[in-house]
Amino acid sequence: MIQDAYLEDLRHKEDELAIEYLPAVRAMAYRLKERLPSSIDFSDLCAIGTEELIKLARRYDETLNDSFWGYAKKRVYGAMLDYLRSLDILSRASRKLVKAIDYEVQEYMLIHNEEPTDEELAKKLNESVEKIHDARIASSIYTVMPLHDQLQVGDEGAALAEIEREELVAVIKKVLSKYKEREQMIIQLYYFEELTLKEISNILDITESRISQIHKSVIQKIRESIGA
């Protein structure tokens, strides 16, 4: 009976710990949602993050970790990314179409300095506007994923699986070294500072379309460097 009361009190304290950091989870979900298309629901990201937070609070050992949020932050964010992976977004559009769109967007921007509309791409690629729209959503969702995830999309996955993490890091550094300092800064701000395209645009005074173009160019160069 005493033991049951002790366990109940312990569970209550653990849940209070989770409740304390709910605002941090909401802020994390909001920041991630800012970088995603409108089809991804903010409340879904919050729910996934909250569920993971509660699980972590109930198995948290303060004797092993000084800071609960320091222990939980990366895991909560990882749970949100896992949710995005579970959507299987590329099933809605062929890998070939995603690549074709990326190519046409780059070609169009060289001439017009802005991205084409879904309608213009549909006409160019002889596809429905709906398929183009879904493919662009799939592509935009993957841009928030770690580089390792992005490099495994499509046929490049097999090539990536054959190289060690250290080698991949070396390849990324080599590719980035060939870009101008401002372009390197874009990758730094997007992946490590986790800023939105709009925020980067305001900081560096570059259009969001140009930032997106540079990002896709870096990913493609890395793929080519690993033999994809």
Side-chain angles (χ1 to χ4, degrees):
M1 201 67 154
I2 295 177
Q3 184 178 12
D4 290 343
Y6 170 76
L7 291 175
E8 184 176 343
D9 180 61
L10 181 61
R11 175 62 59 84
H12 178 64
K13 288 180 180 178
E14 290 165 344
D15 288 347
E16 281 188 342
L17 182 62
I19 291 171
E20 180 183 350
Y21 286 94
L22 280 179
V25 172
R26 289 183 61 83
M28 179 184 287
Y30 179 77
R31 290 292 298 166
L32 182 57
K33 176 66 182 77
E34 282 190 310
R35 307 170 80 208
L36 291 165
S38 58
S39 58
I40 303 300
D41 192 60
F42 168 71
S43 60
D44 288 341
L45 292 173
C46 276
I48 295 296
T50 300
E51 182 181 355
E52 183 66 16
L53 184 73
I54 292 171
K55 290 179 182 177
L56 292 168
R58 290 179 176 176
R59 63 172 183 257
Y60 174 63
D61 186 347
E62 62 183 13
T63 64
L64 299 177
N65 300 277
D66 295 333
S67 165
F68 171 67
W69 186 237
Y71 157 77
K73 182 178 181 179
K74 187 175 182 179
R75 293 168 175 82
V76 170
Y77 190 73
M80 293 181 187
L81 292 184
D82 285 342
Y83 164 70
L84 294 176
R85 294 184 187 101
S86 74
L87 298 178
D88 195 20
I89 51 180
L90 284 185
S91 65
R92 291 177 289 169
S94 69
R95 298 183 181 98
K96 184 179 291 187
L97 179 57
V98 171
K99 290 181 180 181
I101 289 172
D102 286 345
Y103 174 79
E104 293 298 336
V105 167
Q106 289 188 42
E107 291 293 303
Y108 189 92
M109 286 192 65
L110 288 175
I111 300 173
H112 304 282
N113 201 32
E114 64 179 6
E115 291 196 7
T117 64
D118 290 349
E119 288 75 16
E120 288 169 327
L121 285 169
K123 184 177 181 180
K124 180 72 175 180
L125 297 173
N126 196 28
E127 295 283 359
S128 70
V129 174
E130 183 179 2
K131 284 189 70 175
I132 296 295
H133 179 70
D134 286 347
R136 295 185 89 173
I137 287 177
S139 180
S140 63
I141 290 176
Y142 263 98
T143 62
V144 308
M145 296 294 185
L147 283 172
H148 192 275
D149 282 75
Q150 295 188 50
L151 294 171
Q152 294 189 74
V153 175
D155 300 332
E156 294 82 5
L160 178 62
E162 294 178 0
I163 70 174
E164 298 294 332
R165 178 180 177 83
E166 291 77 12
E167 185 181 348
L168 177 59
V169 171
V171 168
I172 293 173
K173 287 182 177 179
K174 184 177 180 181
V175 169
L176 288 176
S177 69
K178 297 177 181 178
Y179 284 83
K180 297 177 181 178
E181 184 176 350
R182 176 178 278 195
E183 294 169 336
Q184 292 183 39
M185 180 66 71
I186 288 172
I187 301 302
Q188 171 73 23
L189 293 175
Y190 193 82
Y191 283 104
F192 299 100
E193 304 300 329
E194 297 180 359
L195 299 187
T196 65
L197 295 183
K198 184 176 182 179
E199 289 169 332
I200 297 173
S201 176
N202 291 335
I203 292 172
L204 299 180
D205 194 25
I206 307 175
T207 65
E208 292 182 41
S209 294
R210 176 56 182 156
I211 294 170
S212 177
Q213 183 185 32
I214 292 171
H215 166 262
K216 290 177 180 179
S217 172
V218 170
I219 296 298
Q220 183 58 36
K221 292 294 184 183
I222 294 172
R223 285 173 171 162
E224 292 171 359
S225 296
I226 62 176

